[in-house]
Amino acid sequence: MGLIDTYGDQLVSAFWTTVQLTFWSALGALIWGTILAAMRVSPVPILRVFATWYVNIFRNTPLTLIIVFCSVGLYQNLGVHFAPEDSSTFIDQNNFRLAVLGFVVYTSAFVCESLRSGINTVPIGQAEAARSLGLTFTQGIRMIVLPQAFRAVIAPLGSVLIALTKNTTIASAIGVAEASLLMKTMIENEADKLFLVFGIFAIGFMILTLPVGFLFGYLGKRLAVKR
């Protein structure tokens, strides 16, 4: 209990930052991943090519490389920033938002592939029926295909979300004060309690990820499209 008493407030703050990173990154990845999935099945060749290359490149690029590039490449070399420079918390805000950008870029590739597999479960006759009713490709995929595709891949999307939650530890590479950065500090200060420190953070991440797994598993069975 000594560690909890000493680092309790910092633990809450660090895991809250992890939750925020996960939420905003998941939201951005879901939006961009859905757009990419629509592009992958689009009748426009250039959109299919772009989405295919995007997925293949970023799905096979180390996440650490992407996160470090967002900080070193975008901010330090190109001057791109996402926070007001006159703010007293500019560095913290900018690093957080750069980390979110990196996670969105990376995770959206996995969201796209999960959704594409869901789209493939929708009978092609439904898309043809939509076109025969005069619906455009965008209307058909938005109103008919995607709703069924999402229901078919709820469980896989849950796995992507769990992976994203654990991947947020990489944000410490650019100084984001999330859980793993605090863990490094605690290891340095409490070297004689190494296993206890590891246990605290392992339990913390289990508290974050296990309910997500159970929830998405339940929803996946409850909302599955009956074929």
Side-chain angles (χ1 to χ4, degrees), residues 181-201:
L181 190 62
L182 177 60
M183 184 178 71
K184 293 176 183 178
T185 301
M186 291 177 65
I187 289 173
E188 293 172 358
N189 296 337
E190 309 288 344
D192 57 329
K193 301 176 182 176
L194 189 62
F195 289 103
L196 183 56
V197 172
F198 285 152
I200 289 173
F201 284 90

Side-chain angles (χ1 to χ4, degrees), residues 3-182:
L3 284 178
I4 301 298
D5 293 337
T6 304
Y7 295 96
D9 292 341
Q10 295 180 61
L11 283 168
V12 172
S13 177
F15 275 105
W16 176 238
T17 300
T18 295
V19 170
Q20 290 178 298
L21 271 175
T22 302
F23 175 80
W24 292 113
S25 301
L27 182 62
L30 182 62
I31 294 171
W32 180 226
T34 301
I35 294 172
L36 286 172
M39 293 169 69
R40 290 285 315 255
V41 298
S42 167
V44 182
I46 191 170
L47 294 181
R48 291 199 307 270
V49 170
F50 170 80
T52 299
W53 275 96
Y54 181 99
V55 169
N56 287 331
I57 289 173
F58 287 105
R59 193 173 56 167
N60 294 289
T61 300
L63 178 55
T64 304
L65 181 62
I66 295 174
I67 296 296
V68 172
F69 172 79
C70 286
S71 178
V72 177
L74 293 183
Y75 172 57
Q76 296 184 23
N77 285 281
L78 299 179
V80 177
H81 56 83
F82 301 101
E85 290 186 285
D86 57 351
S87 171
S88 60
T89 58
F90 166 72
I91 296 298
D92 291 338
Q93 290 185 40
N94 196 52
N95 286 344
F96 179 90
R97 291 167 186 174
L98 287 169
V100 168
L101 174 63
F103 291 131
V104 168
V105 167
Y106 179 78
T107 307
S108 59
F110 294 89
V111 172
C112 170
E113 288 302 275
S114 295
L115 274 179
R116 190 169 70 94
S117 67
I119 290 172
N120 289 336
T121 67
V122 180
I124 191 171
Q126 295 194 22
E128 293 173 346
R131 287 195 294 271
S132 69
L133 291 173
L135 297 179
T136 64
F137 170 79
T138 302
Q139 291 172 325
I141 199 166
R142 177 170 56 87
M143 294 187 291
I144 296 174
V145 178
L146 280 180
Q148 296 182 69
F150 272 108
R151 291 176 64 180
V153 297
I154 290 175
L157 287 178
S159 298
V160 172
L161 179 58
I162 290 172
L164 172 60
T165 304
K166 294 183 289 186
N167 285 342
T168 57
T169 56
I170 296 176
S172 62
I174 60 172
V176 179
E178 47 72 57
S180 69
L181 190 62
L182 177 60

Side-chain angles (χ1 to χ4, degrees), residues 212-224:
V212 172
F214 289 133
L215 176 62
F216 275 77
Y218 169 76
L219 292 176
K221 294 177 182 178
R222 183 67 182 268
L223 301 177

